[in-house]
């Protein structure tokens, strides 16, 4: 690639000013919108210090967040690692909001500021705005206002009920937040901006439901007449229920309204992050592909110097480096590397297809407009379906992929189930696709029943896939948090999903001290 124009440079050297950043942003926007066809939220770029970046790390990258001891612990861990030189800091953090907020480090050189603006303020921004999961599950224009509401609400609770009481609820809710998401599409978008009004309406509705449910717990003298039918009881409780935090928020008999609201806050924030966990590969691949295209065009049009472009290439190469499986640095597949490689591979298939590509990808091979094809891919796929649909034999050969299968028996050797050859392509693609399938990776745990006629025991079931049981210690700790929030005993069965056989059982009882003081 060579520069084709001798136009004025956006900057010289590594120093930058606010005027420089404005020129960089305008130049990136012209290419991103005009040539790549990206559609983005308005950008809000914030310059932050190292200390502020560490603080953002500790509060899951959000611009404002409620207080919790675990964030301070996380801050201390990141800071110690950074000061000892054991880890670097990200060049940027970007928030899925409208306007899209991008934090960039003041220590970055002008070239790095250009790179991260192209990467975050345009690549990630486009993905947030257009991918169906983000459109379905998040409300970009309302998240900052909702975080402000959450922070104020929890601070008010600490003032009114005490920090320890609030901390207990947050600890328990955080332990369960990975089971606090709805995995299927909802009928309408969440209205985060009107949470305070809806909080009052929810409380009134819940009181009606609780009355209907709990007044039917039989008194000794009229037990038989008061029992609900199984269908009516399960319908009121919305069973079976995979969203455990939602179930507790709506149904736990001993929680105070403010405790339910805290659970709801944790649940909604977990739901906000749910699309990010399913699109890590695509999101980083999209942003990396966009910054690579934008930086290349800036160099081609003479807006950045050769030295700046070489500096960019050094950073870009580090980001997309994929260590081999036997390298000490290997820790799995680098989402930046595979995502970027797949985006480039799609561009190749669209513009320079081979016979093999025409056979595997008849819909896009040779279409000639890679940006239009990629825009459609970024909008309509998640990691699992993206790999399942677009991982090509060409890329499998270049990456020398192979599939190692562990049968779970430590006495037996590992088996190489597929390699990058004619017989292994489909098996490899299917196996790697499952690697990104949250339904395959996360344990399927559902609330299945409540003993309303007896001791109010909550019953859950884990449908076990491939004989993989949950960790004994972690299950015991999380189940204790669940029992504390429920207020009574909980019982979890691990059941073989295929045979229906009970493999293991766990129980926990609520601690008497948990709900004191509410």
């Amino acid at each position: 690639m060579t520069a084709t124009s001798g136009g004025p440079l956006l900057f010289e050297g590594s120093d930058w000013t606010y005027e420089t950043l404005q020129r960089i942003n305008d130049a990136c926007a012209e290419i991103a919108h005009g040539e790549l066809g990206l559609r983005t939220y308005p950008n809000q770029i914030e310059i932050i210090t190292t200390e502020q970046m560490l603080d953002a790390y500790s509060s899951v990258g959000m611009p404002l967040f409620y207080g919790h001891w675990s964030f301070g612990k996380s801050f201390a861990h990141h800071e110690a690692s950074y000061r000892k030189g054991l880890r670097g800091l990200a060049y940027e953090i970007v928030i899925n909001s409208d306007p899209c907020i991008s934090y960039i480090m003041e220590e970055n050189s002008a070239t790095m500021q250009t790179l991260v603006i192209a990467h975050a303020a345009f690549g990630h921004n486009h993905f947030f705005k257009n991918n169906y999961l983000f459109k379905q599950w998040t409300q970009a224009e309302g998240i900052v206002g909702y975080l402000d509401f959450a922070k104020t609400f929890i601070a008010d609770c600490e003032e009114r009920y005490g920090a320890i009481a609030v901390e207990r609820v947050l600890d328990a809710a955080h332990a369960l937040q990975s089971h606090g998401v709805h995995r299927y599409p909802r009928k309408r978008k969440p209205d985060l901006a009107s949470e305070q009004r809806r909080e009052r309406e929810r409380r009134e509705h819940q009181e009606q439901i609780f009355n209907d449910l709990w007044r039917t717990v039989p008194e000794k003298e009229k037990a038989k007449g008061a029992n609900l039918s199984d269908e009516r009881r399960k319908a009121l409780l919305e069973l079976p229920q995979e969203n455990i935090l939602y179930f507790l928020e709506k149904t736990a008999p001993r929680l105070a309204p403010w405790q339910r609201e805290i659970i709801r806050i944790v649940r909604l924030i977990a739901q906000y992050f749910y699309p990010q966990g399913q699109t890590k590969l695509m999101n980083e691949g999209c942003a990396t592909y966009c910054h690579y295209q934008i930086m290349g065009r800036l160099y081609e049009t003479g807006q950045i110097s050769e030295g700046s472009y070489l500096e960019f290439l050094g950073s870009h190469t580090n980001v997309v480096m994929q260590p081999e499986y036997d390298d000490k640095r290997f820790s799995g597949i680098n989402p930046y590397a595979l995502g970027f490689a797949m985006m480039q591979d799609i561009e190749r298939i669209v513009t320079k297809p081979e016979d093999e590509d025409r056979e595997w990808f008849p819909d896009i091979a040779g279409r000639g407009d890679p940006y239009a094809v990629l825009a459609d891919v970024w909008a309509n796929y998640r990691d699992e379906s993206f790999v399942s649909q677009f991982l090509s034999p060409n890329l499998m050969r270049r990456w020398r992929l192979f599939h190692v299968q562990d049968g779970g028996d430590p006495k037996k050797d590992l088996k190489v189930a597929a390699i990058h050859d004619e017989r292994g392509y489909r098996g490899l693609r299917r196996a790697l696709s499952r690697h990104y399938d949250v339904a395959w990776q996360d344990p399927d745990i559902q609330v299945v029943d409540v003993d309303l006629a007896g001791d109010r025991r909550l019953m859950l079931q884990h449908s076990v896939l491939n004989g993989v049981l949950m960790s004994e210690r972690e299950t015991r700790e999380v189940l204790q948090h669940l029992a504390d929030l429920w207020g009574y005993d909980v019982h979890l069965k691990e059941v073989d999903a295929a045979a229906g056989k009970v493999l293991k059982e766990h129980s926990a009882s609520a601690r008497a001290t948990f709900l004191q003081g509410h």
Side-chain angles (χ1 to χ4, degrees):
M1 182 180 295
T2 56
T4 58
S5 169
L9 295 173
L10 293 172
F11 53 84
E12 294 187 42
S14 59
D15 294 336
W16 54 267
T17 64
Y18 289 106
E19 290 74 23
T20 310
L21 293 183
Q22 185 63 58
R23 286 200 302 276
I24 290 170
N25 182 72
D26 293 345
C28 290
E30 188 173 338
I31 297 169
H33 297 150
E35 298 185 24
L36 304 187
L38 303 186
R39 291 175 289 121
T40 61
Y41 295 119
N43 276 310
Q44 178 178 325
I45 297 173
E46 305 270 356
I47 314 298
I48 62 174
T49 63
T50 301
E51 200 79 5
Q52 289 171 317
M53 180 61 85
L54 286 165
D55 191 47
Y57 273 13
S58 67
S59 56
V60 294
M62 302 309 289
L64 49 98
F65 215 58
Y66 58 78
H68 186 251
W69 63 268
S70 63
F71 303 147
K73 178 185 175 184
S74 176
F75 180 88
H77 169 74
H78 289 305
E79 184 186 37
S81 298
Y82 174 70
R83 303 295 179 204
K84 291 178 181 177
L86 299 176
R87 64 167 298 171
L89 293 180
Y91 297 122
E92 46 80 23
I93 285 181
V94 58
I95 311 299
N96 169 31
S97 60
D98 182 9
C100 183
I101 303 172
S102 300
Y103 295 110
I104 58 179
M105 296 268 286
E106 66 177 4
E107 291 88 347
N108 291 347
S109 68
T111 298
M112 289 307 301
Q113 303 295 35
T114 312
L115 167 59
V116 297
I117 287 174
H119 181 93
F122 292 96
H124 282 308
N125 187 345
H126 172 84
F127 195 83
F128 289 147
K129 184 172 182 180
N130 297 284
N131 181 263
Y132 80 101
L133 282 176
F134 288 88
K135 292 167 73 172
Q136 194 170 67
W137 289 112
T138 66
Q139 187 187 18
E141 66 272 20
I143 185 62
V144 174
Y146 184 68
L147 291 175
D148 185 42
F149 157 75
K151 182 178 181 179
T152 303
F153 181 85
I154 288 179
D156 289 345
C157 288
E158 289 176 338
E159 183 75 20
R160 189 169 180 182
Y161 305 105
I164 293 177
V166 173
E167 186 178 287
R168 286 195 195 111
V169 180
L170 280 175
D171 285 350
H174 285 178
L176 293 161
Q177 63 185 349
S178 61
H179 295 283
V181 296
H182 292 293
R183 300 177 193 277
Y184 300 101
R186 61 179 65 195
K187 294 179 180 177
R188 57 185 175 82
K189 283 186 172 183
D191 182 9
L192 297 175
S194 60
E195 277 303 305
Q196 286 172 300
R197 173 179 57 77
R198 297 175 65 209
E199 176 199 349
R200 185 183 64 254
E201 295 172 356
R202 282 196 302 273
R203 190 164 57 246
E204 292 170 357
H205 173 70
Q206 287 161 4
E207 286 171 356
Q208 292 177 347
I209 294 293
F210 295 145
N211 289 339
D212 199 7
L213 279 172
W214 299 113
R215 73 187 176 200
T216 60
V217 175
E219 299 173 11
K220 291 181 181 177
E221 60 274 19
K222 55 179 181 180
K224 291 183 180 178
N227 275 335
L228 288 171
S229 68
D230 280 352
E231 292 76 13
R232 172 67 175 157
R233 177 170 51 84
K234 289 192 175 183
L236 284 172
L237 294 169
E238 298 183 58
L239 297 177
Q241 177 59 257
E242 65 170 357
N243 190 329
I244 297 174
L245 284 183
Y246 176 81
F247 180 83
L248 292 170
E249 175 201 334
K250 301 295 182 187
T251 316
R254 299 180 62 192
L255 292 179
W258 66 270
Q259 293 169 320
R260 296 183 197 283
E261 193 58 37
I262 289 178
I263 290 174
R264 180 176 175 81
I265 287 169
V266 173
R267 178 172 70 79
L268 288 180
I269 292 174
Q271 191 75 63
Y272 170 81
F273 283 108
Y274 182 57
Q276 301 204 24
Q278 297 186 72
T279 56
K280 177 76 172 174
L281 176 71
M282 287 191 67
N283 199 350
E284 296 300 352
C286 169
T288 306
Y289 179 84
C290 288
H291 84 223
Y292 187 77
Q293 296 296 321
I294 292 171
M295 294 298 287
R297 287 296 294 150
L298 290 175
Y299 175 58
E300 285 178 342
T301 54
Q303 297 184 74
I304 59 175
S305 67
E306 188 169 275
S308 176
Y309 190 65
L310 288 173
E311 180 187 349
F312 151 70
L313 286 178
S315 299
H316 172 79
T317 304
N318 290 335
V319 167
V320 299
M321 186 192 69
Q322 175 60 62
E324 299 284 343
Y325 75 94
D326 54 353
D327 190 307
K328 290 182 179 178
R329 297 167 294 177
F330 180 81
S331 60
I333 293 179
N334 177 357
Y336 294 83
L338 183 59
F340 178 62
M342 288 187 67
M343 302 306 171
Q344 284 198 312
D345 196 48
I346 290 172
E347 179 183 343
R348 179 192 62 79
I349 293 168
V350 172
T351 57
K352 300 175 183 175
E354 298 176 355
D355 291 343
E356 179 185 60
D357 301 313
R358 295 185 190 281
E359 178 186 345
W360 278 69
F361 306 101
D363 293 338
I364 63 171
R367 190 186 290 185
D369 186 354
Y371 298 145
V373 171
L374 285 170
D376 179 67
V377 170
W378 294 332
N380 296 304
Y381 291 83
R382 57 179 177 172
D383 289 350
E384 179 262 339
S385 56
F386 175 58
V387 171
S388 173
Q389 186 72 25
F390 293 104
L391 183 65
S392 72
N394 182 298
L395 193 61
M396 285 185 251
R397 287 194 296 273
R398 281 194 280 132
W399 272 55
R400 299 173 184 171
L401 293 176
F402 59 93
H403 177 213
V404 177
Q405 195 170 51
D406 181 359
D409 185 346
K411 296 179 181 178
K412 293 186 177 179
D413 294 332
L414 299 176
K415 175 185 176 184
V416 177
I419 63 171
H420 47 274
D421 63 4
E422 195 63 38
R423 293 176 56 192
Y425 290 143
R426 296 192 187 281
L428 263 176
R429 190 159 79 167
R430 184 166 52 249
L432 188 58
S433 172
R434 279 184 174 171
H435 179 73
Y436 295 103
D437 184 355
V438 291
W440 187 264
Q441 298 297 328
D442 295 344
D444 177 14
I445 301 173
Q446 299 192 19
V447 179
V448 292
D449 210 348
V450 180
D451 184 6
L452 289 181
D455 58 5
R456 300 185 179 182
R457 174 175 298 193
L458 185 65
M459 285 164 274
L460 301 97
Q461 180 169 306
H462 171 212
S463 296
V464 177
L465 287 176
N466 299 323
V468 180
L469 299 174
M470 295 190 296
S471 156
E472 178 78 29
R473 183 180 64 82
E474 291 182 9
T475 303
R476 184 172 63 250
E477 293 174 354
V478 174
L479 217 57
Q480 182 62 63
H481 286 299
L482 176 55
D484 290 338
L485 290 176
W486 177 243
Y488 298 93
D489 292 354
V490 296
H491 188 73
L492 170 66
K493 288 183 181 178
E494 298 197 70
V495 179
D496 187 286
K501 179 183 177 183
V502 177
L503 303 175
K504 202 168 185 178
E505 298 186 54
H506 311 264
S507 293
S509 299
R511 290 175 289 197
T513 56
F514 183 78
L515 295 177
Q516 284 181 356
H518 70 67

